[in-house]
Amino acid sequence: MRPRPALPADVPELVRLRAVALASLGVDPGPEDAPWRDVARGWFLERLVGRDDVRCLVVGGAPGQPLLATGMAWVTYHLPSPRWTDGRRGYLDGIVTDGSARGQGHGRRIVDGLTDWLAGIGIHYVQLHASSDGESVYRAAGFTTGRYPRMDLFTDPTA
């Protein structure tokens, strides 16, 4: 099955697959009416409609039907450098395959489709954060360990 661009009718399934991804990372996604799901619906809709710098691909049924896999890419903007003169990079995120559909190459087809889209708009530097479940897919697609160590800062939202 070839990936296709996600449509607004796919948003409920995109939110469901986001919960699948969270659970696979050891994060309890909570109940169907958890507040984050409403935020996620709006988040996906905003990015699927009218954004030239975001691409979401899906594998599965027709819009509104169950999906097997999904993934997103978007353009990030950084300072220019000699090699990356316009400062644009691609970022892959939200790549997830439903449990029953794993091991069938859907994730790899999503990754290839997203990196092809980025290359087609002139972006040849692509980044992602890999889970242990997805690392072999990304390595097979040509991703390597980054040059710079990742660092995180979490601030107190109540401060």
Side-chain angles (χ1 to χ4, degrees), residues 15 19 28-41:
V15 174
D28 178 5
E32 294 293 322
D33 62 349
W36 75 265
R37 292 177 193 255
D38 281 336
V39 174
R41 279 187 275 281

Side-chain angles (χ1 to χ4, degrees), residues 4-5 15 34 36 58 63-64 80 82 92 111 117-118 121 126 133 144 153:
R4 65 171 172 79
V15 174
W36 75 265
V58 297
L92 302 189
V111 169
W117 172 72
L118 288 164
I121 61 172
V126 182
D133 288 346
T144 60
L153 170 65

